[in-house]
Amino acid sequence: MSNFYTGALNKVTLATGDFTEVTNLGQANAVALDGRGSAYVTNLYGGTLFKVHLATGLSTAVADRLDYSAGVAVSADSKVIYVVSALGRLYQVDARSGLRTEVVAGLDDPWGLALDDVGNAYITSQNGYLDVVNLSTRRIERIATGTGDAYGVALDGAGFAYTSTFKNGSILRVNLANGQVTEAAAGLGNPTSVALSKEGDAYVANTHGILWKVEDVVGCQARVCSSS
């Protein structure tokens, strides 16, 4: 869990709510885990992508010149890191060499980023859009509109995306097949990120320093879930 105002990357024990600071990176914006003991963290104004070894807190700069780096995601094999810039660009970064390559440009005020298992990147916009980028063909397609000032995004693997909207304090569910948008949860303050657990719960961090758990958000498609 990153804290933009303090620059801290925090580890939160979900069972107790206790948290410890892993490291401090200054203006830490988004974080993604590689499943191998490391986290990748973007620095918004510094434009730097960091790799953090979670056991020790040791951080190294992987790539720079990623101006206004917002969302970050790691490929399934952990060899490529994708970073979306609020200036409208999607980059891919080689995890070993740090080589930075522009995938697409011209995205509309992008912020959140998530990858699926078949080579697509899903990107939210603060202007209320959800776009998908085919990473092979680099084709951009608009999936949905009316998502508010969407920041974070997560995929459930069953045809739905979940976005966190900053001003409304809600989680929105997007049907990827038809673009239909429904509210999945509300009352979350000013959320900036969302993640889904294997059990179908949503974890949402907001700018007030609160980490919310919304139980069974993936399973309650017929109603608005409550936070806990």
Side-chain angles (χ1 to χ4, degrees), residues 103-144:
V103 180
V104 295
L107 296 166
D108 188 359
D109 207 4
W111 197 266
L113 174 63
L115 305 177
D116 66 14
D117 296 329
V118 292
N120 297 306
Y122 290 82
I123 300 171
T124 56
S125 165
Q126 296 177 76
N127 290 328
Y129 307 125
L130 176 64
D131 292 337
V132 60
V133 178
N134 185 304
L135 297 173
S136 296
T137 65
R138 305 190 178 189
R139 179 174 180 265
I140 304 171
E141 180 183 354
R142 182 141 296 164
I143 297 294

Side-chain angles (χ1 to χ4, degrees), residues 4-226:
F4 176 78
Y5 296 106
T6 67
L9 175 65
N10 296 316
K11 176 182 178 180
V12 181
T13 302
L14 298 178
T16 64
D18 295 333
F19 69 92
T20 55
E21 183 174 304
V22 177
T23 188
N24 194 296
L25 301 170
Q27 297 168 331
N29 189 64
V31 59
L33 304 179
D34 68 357
R36 303 183 182 188
S38 295
Y40 288 88
V41 182
T42 57
N43 178 291
L44 183 67
Y45 297 123
T48 304
L49 173 68
F50 293 97
K51 180 179 182 179
V52 180
H53 187 262
L54 296 175
T56 64
L58 179 65
S59 63
T60 56
V62 178
D64 58 12
R65 294 183 297 132
L66 299 163
D67 296 337
Y68 289 90
S69 51
V72 60
V74 182
S75 66
D77 59 9
S78 300
K79 294 182 179 180
V80 182
I81 316 304
Y82 291 90
V83 176
V84 67
S85 161
L87 297 181
R89 302 181 181 94
L90 174 65
Y91 296 101
Q92 64 180 31
V93 178
D94 186 285
R96 294 188 64 182
S97 68
L99 179 64
R100 173 186 65 103
T101 305
E102 184 177 283
V103 180
V104 295
L107 296 166
D108 188 359
D109 207 4
W111 197 266
L113 174 63
L115 305 177
D116 66 14
D117 296 329
V118 292
N120 297 306
Y122 290 82
I123 300 171
T124 56
S125 165
Q126 296 177 76
N127 290 328
Y129 307 125
L130 176 64
D131 292 337
V132 60
V133 178
N134 185 304
L135 297 173
S136 296
T137 65
R138 305 190 178 189
R139 179 174 180 265
I140 304 171
E141 180 183 354
R142 182 141 296 164
I143 297 294
T145 61
T147 57
D149 52 347
Y151 277 55
V153 60
L155 306 174
D156 67 2
F160 293 89
Y162 295 80
T163 72
S164 54
T165 61
F166 185 78
K167 291 180 181 178
N168 292 334
S170 61
I171 299 175
L172 299 180
R173 181 186 296 110
V174 181
N175 186 320
L176 299 178
N178 58 24
Q180 182 181 10
V181 179
T182 55
E183 187 175 83
L188 300 170
N190 300 116
T192 57
S193 60
V194 59
L196 301 176
S197 71
K198 293 184 292 184
E199 294 74 27
D201 301 327
Y203 290 88
V204 178
N206 71 18
T207 56
H208 308 295
I210 298 172
L211 177 65
W212 291 99
K213 177 184 178 182
V214 185
E215 295 182 348
D216 196 30
V217 72
V218 173
C220 60
Q221 295 183 13
R223 59 185 173 83
V224 177
C225 305
S226 60

